[in-house]
Amino acid sequence: MIKGLTAVAQIASEADFVELAELFQSLGFEPGRGWSMRSGGNGTRTSSEGTGRIEGAAQGAPFLAPLGNLELVYGRRPAEPPLLIEVTALDEIHATVKAWLLSRRSGEETTRDISEPTLTDWNARLFTVQLHPGFSVAFWQSENPLHNRPMAIEGDLSAAGRRFAVVVARWNAVITDRLLQGALDALLRSGCARKDIEIVRVPGAWEIPSAARTLAETGRFAAIITLGVLLRGETAHYEAIYNEVARGIGQSQQETGVPHAFGVLTCETLEQALDRAGLKAGNKGFEAGIAAIEMASIQEKLRTERQSSSAAGIEAGA
Ligand code: DLZ
């Protein structure tokens, strides 16, 4: 079983060894457990990390990186030098290493020994530095923001070929009509056909969950968009109604497995609600429409993934 990868650099003098170990620590490397060996004796682990020094002894100072790769390259010249250190703040590392060199070498030697960060043909920026005779490294940073990060499953924003239902409350229609307009705008602009949108009007927010549930249970819709407005000033038992509406919509979503976008506004005043229905604070109906489109796509991807992994499990006899 492979456990790790170690690249070794021979350093000629103890003073350089110590200085380089300090530099590597200052760059953010985690020191590993060092070792030292008296001349002719056995290697012993030093108790301190990094450069636990014993005068006149051979020593090793390991520095740990979270990730190690051994890369085989065919068909092109591999990057030079062979020791490539991936970092997240290339320019700061460059400034630190350059300052370190300048404090030990002339300006001319420093310019000779360290290159400026430049773009490579593999979408990274890289600089090389000779830290010690025969010991050069390259520091590099990927320009791809997803490099080495786990790939996320994300929904796309195309509504083409999918059916959506919109449940909209008539109460406070001056607001809910604007929310409906926003939701339709999101669906149509994202490629949904008019014939694939079903609009259901209900008396008030209280009735949204049951209509949403009935629609979801038909299995005909990729997602349901719920739209309404509850005004605290005008609604007796506002909290109780709001909680029940939110709970009912959430429950319908969880029990049917059909995404429900929540576009039920809860505001203190009509003015606040108007702001959220297309005036000052965007249109929450549009936002609900976009969320529904995205969730419909994510749901489809997750189902496909689950089907293919369970099919693979059956094939593998898992
Ligand atoms: C009764 C009522 C009140 C007072 N306020 C609102 C509101 O602010 N927003 C809304 O969508 N509906 C309201 N309703 C109506 C209830 O939601 C419901 O339609 C009726 O109580 C009939 O069941």
Side-chain angles (χ1 to χ4, degrees):
M1 200 222 267
I2 308 293
K3 274 189 71 181
L5 195 64
T6 301
V8 182
Q10 172 83 53
I11 308 300
S13 80
E14 186 179 8
D16 286 352
F17 171 85
V18 172
E19 281 193 352
L20 279 165
E22 281 166 6
L23 170 69
F24 275 67
Q25 279 206 42
S26 75
L27 293 178
F29 271 96
E30 187 191 335
R33 271 195 89 192
W35 58 266
S36 62
M37 190 187 281
R38 292 193 191 283
S39 38
N42 289 327
T44 53
R45 289 277 161 201
T46 53
S47 53
S48 55
E49 308 249 282
T51 58
R53 284 199 283 155
I54 297 178
E55 293 297 319
Q59 293 173 60
F63 289 93
L64 313 177
L67 207 68
N69 301 312
L70 170 63
E71 191 166 312
L72 305 177
V73 176
Y74 165 77
R76 60 168 291 167
R77 225 158 51 85
E80 285 284 341
L83 187 57
L84 301 172
I85 301 169
E86 184 179 358
V87 298
T88 52
L90 188 75
D91 297 306
E92 283 156 43
I93 298 275
H94 185 262
T96 308
V97 176
K98 193 167 181 179
W100 185 85
L101 290 180
L102 276 171
S103 69
R104 286 158 179 85
R105 299 173 199 182
S106 69
E108 216 170 279
E109 287 167 329
T110 299
T111 313
R112 179 200 63 200
D113 290 343
I114 186 167
S115 69
E116 289 302 309
T118 43
L119 198 61
T120 67
D121 60 359
W122 35 284
N123 199 23
R125 286 189 316 125
L126 174 146
F127 75 88
T128 57
V129 54
Q130 173 165 314
L131 292 168
H132 184 77
F135 178 37
S136 294
V137 299
F139 289 90
W140 68 283
Q141 178 174 358
S142 175
E143 295 286 279
N144 173 4
L146 288 176
H147 176 77
N148 264 346
R149 298 222 160 80
M151 288 298 289
I153 297 175
E154 278 179 286
D156 52 51
L157 294 182
S158 166
R162 296 197 174 101
R163 293 177 62 85
F164 293 85
V166 188
V167 184
V168 54
R170 268 197 304 269
W171 194 277
N172 290 317
V174 63
I175 313 285
T176 58
D177 279 352
R178 287 163 190 251
L179 296 176
L180 176 61
Q181 232 170 49
L184 294 177
D185 196 21
L187 292 174
L188 295 171
R189 279 211 263 157
S190 306
C192 189
R194 278 170 200 278
K195 67 173 176 47
D196 288 336
I197 305 173
E198 198 156 311
I199 301 167
V200 177
R201 288 186 184 270
V202 294
W206 182 256
E207 284 74 30
I208 292 175
S210 74
R213 172 109 194 195
T214 307
L215 288 161
E217 281 174 346
T218 64
R220 291 168 46 227
F221 301 101
I224 315 287
I225 300 163
T226 61
L227 305 172
V229 184
L230 283 159
L231 296 177
R232 187 191 288 273
E234 293 176 11
T235 313
H237 314 305
Y238 168 91
E239 266 85 16
I241 293 182
Y242 172 72
N243 286 337
E244 196 53 26
V245 171
R247 191 193 60 77
I249 293 172
Q251 191 175 346
S252 175
Q253 164 167 264
Q254 280 149 19
E255 291 179 2
T256 61
V258 178
H260 288 43
F262 191 75
V264 181
L265 297 183
T266 50
C267 303
E268 299 294 321
T269 62
L270 191 65
E271 195 189 354
Q272 275 181 0
L274 273 168
D275 284 346
R276 289 163 178 71
L279 287 189
K280 289 189 197 146
N283 185 318
K284 301 297 168 196
F286 184 88
E287 288 172 24
I290 294 292
I293 295 165
E294 190 173 347
M295 282 310 297
S297 162
I298 288 178
Q299 203 74 336
E300 202 171 283
K301 288 184 186 179
L302 291 177
R303 284 205 184 102
T304 313
E305 188 146 290
R306 198 169 57 189
Q307 275 163 9
S308 55
S309 53
S310 61
I314 290 164
E315 275 168 31

